[in-house]
Amino acid sequence: MQGYKSADTAGILGITLGGLGVMDFYLGNYRKAAVHVGLLVLVLTLLIVEMIVLPLSCLGLEWSDCAGMNAVIEVLIVIVVLGNFLWGVAEGIVVLIRGDDGLVSRGYRISNSRVQAKGARSVLVEEKKEAPSDAGSGVSIW
């Protein structure tokens, strides 16, 4: 989570390229980004099986014997691709709705200029609130 992050940038990345894990790479969520990439590798593997392995294994057989397996693989590909894409889009929309305040609440840093320009009520993570203390008794609550 190095550098300043923008909810607008993260949200747009999530909506457009969320299925590739780009928003998660941008925000530093490398495990979640790896899951997105892993799902893409699964889809590519299923495509290779459908286009190369299955036809080679069905040589000499009637196509009706292999058509069921082909249909199952195609359904799996559609489910994984749509699920991965919709997951990325949903996360992008949530980040856009929550805005910079949502990023700050999750521990990300946003720039002072963005806070002032938007009039946000956010506080930068680096700023620490002073602990209240009771001056009369000399005992600190914290």
Side-chain angles (χ1 to χ4, degrees), residues 98-141:
R98 290 184 179 170
D100 287 331
D101 287 339
L103 287 183
V104 169
S105 69
R106 291 174 51 197
Y108 295 100
R109 297 184 302 165
I110 60 172
S111 68
N112 281 330
S113 60
R114 288 188 61 79
V115 173
Q116 293 168 357
K118 287 187 154 193
R121 301 178 314 268
S122 305
V123 185
L124 292 179
V125 173
E126 293 119 29
E127 294 179 9
K128 297 191 180 202
K129 295 181 180 180
E130 292 186 29
S133 63
D134 188 349
S137 66
V139 177
S140 175
I141 298 173

Side-chain angles (χ1 to χ4, degrees), residues 58-113:
C58 290
L59 288 175
L61 299 176
E62 290 188 31
W63 180 244
S64 61
D65 295 337
C66 294
M69 183 60 76
N70 195 26
V72 168
I73 292 173
E74 288 176 359
V75 168
L76 283 174
I77 289 171
V78 169
I79 289 172
V80 173
V81 167
L82 282 178
N84 198 16
F85 173 74
L86 292 176
W87 177 24
V89 169
E91 283 187 335
I93 291 171
V94 167
V95 168
L96 279 177
I97 290 172
R98 290 184 179 170
D100 287 331
D101 287 339
L103 287 183
V104 169
S105 69
R106 291 174 51 197
Y108 295 100
R109 297 184 302 165
I110 60 172
S111 68
N112 281 330
S113 60

